[in-house]
């Protein structure tokens, strides 16, 4: 006998779901599906939070365009390094705990980005924030483990695609909504130094939930 789920399960592939019901949030398959893409989406919110505000950062710190590019490289370097590490760790511990742990860890430097005072501290802080981008590994591992071969490609594409959408949404939310809102009550410098607390809180709380 097999367990009864809200989605069809392929008995030939264990408890993996054989269909995707996007409006379903039941455990374990669809709950994992939605947690997977949402956590990856939030990771982009953390990862790209300061990106649309770098012109303000450059002006405040008096750094060069090359310094900004260096910080961009460091941001990507962080996620590349961690993706190599987290692959084997997923095999050992699974995706859920690692996803939450990485989100909470990346939220800390995101909240502290306002303390940077030089090109070096900006690059180092963005390196550690970039670790959040490694949640791509857990995102794909999580969805792969939940769906049968007939639909796993679609599930991975949806999770990865919706998660990546967070990069564009962050540009709009941080640059066109939150930053102007913060500037209503404080100077531009104080605004960019404090606004990243918002994505940091979202990321930390999301990390606690999976």
């Amino acid at each position: 006998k097999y367990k009864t789920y809200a989605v069809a399960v392929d008995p030939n592939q264990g408890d993996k779901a054989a269909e995707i019901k996007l409006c379903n949030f039941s455990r374990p398959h669809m709950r994992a599906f939605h947690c997977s893409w949402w956590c990856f989406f939030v990771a982009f919110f953390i990862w790209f939070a300061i990106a649309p505000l770098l012109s303000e950062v450059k002006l405040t710190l008096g750094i060069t365009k090359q310094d900004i590019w260096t910080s961009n490289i460091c941001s990507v370097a962080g996620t590349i390094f961690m993706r190599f590490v987290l692959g084997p760790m997923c095999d050992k511990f699974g995706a859920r705990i690692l996803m939450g742990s990485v989100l909470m860890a990346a939220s800390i430097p995101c909240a502290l980005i306002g303390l940077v005072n030089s090109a070096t501290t900006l690059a180092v802080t963005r390196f550690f924030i970039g670790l959040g981008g490694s949640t791509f590994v857990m995102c794909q591992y999580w969805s792969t483990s939940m769906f049968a071969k007939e639909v796993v490609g679609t599930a991975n594409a949806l999770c990865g695609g919706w998660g990546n959408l967070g990069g564009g949404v962050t540009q709009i939310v941080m640059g066109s909504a939150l930053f102007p809102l913060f500037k209503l009550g404080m100077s531009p410098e104080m605004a960019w130094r404090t606004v990243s607390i918002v994505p940091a809180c979202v990321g930390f709380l999301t990390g606690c939930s999976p």
Side-chain angles (χ1 to χ4, degrees), residues 172-201:
I172 298 172
V173 171
M174 294 297 292
S176 302
L178 288 179
F179 182 61
L181 181 63
F182 273 56
K183 284 200 300 182
L184 293 177
M186 57 186 74
S187 66
E189 177 181 353
M190 186 58 66
W192 77 255
R193 287 186 180 276
T194 57
V195 71
S196 288
I197 293 175
V198 176
C201 289

Side-chain angles (χ1 to χ4, degrees), residues 91-166:
D91 292 332
K92 186 173 183 179
F93 301 107
R96 185 176 64 86
I97 294 175
L98 291 175
M99 179 72 87
S101 299
V102 171
L103 281 178
M104 289 188 287
S107 296
I108 296 173
C110 180
L112 298 177
I113 192 72
L115 299 179
V116 301
N117 55 16
S118 66
T120 300
T121 54
L122 177 63
V124 171
T125 304
R126 294 196 71 196
F127 173 85
F128 286 106
I129 294 173
L131 301 181
S134 62
T135 52
F136 173 76
V137 176
M138 285 79 80
C139 169
Q140 295 296 282
Y141 185 96
W142 207 352
S143 59
T144 298
S145 65
M146 287 289 148
F147 294 92
K149 62 181 180 180
E150 291 83 4
V151 295
V152 68
T154 301
N156 286 343
L158 289 172
C159 288
W162 290 354
N164 277 299
L165 186 63

Side-chain angles (χ1 to χ4, degrees), residues 6 12 16 19 24-25 28 30 34 44-45 69 76 92-94 109 116 120 122 159 168-170 177-178 189 191:
N12 296 318
K16 292 188 175 183
E19 61 182 350
N24 190 302
F25 292 86
M30 294 312 300
H34 289 295
F44 270 95
F45 193 28
W69 277 108
V76 176
K92 186 173 183 179
F93 301 107
V116 301
T120 300
L122 177 63
C159 288
V169 172
T170 301
L178 288 179
E189 177 181 353

Side-chain angles (χ1 to χ4, degrees), residues 82 85-94 98:
M82 282 302 293
V85 174
L86 289 170
M89 291 183 69
C90 278
D91 292 332
K92 186 173 183 179
F93 301 107
L98 291 175

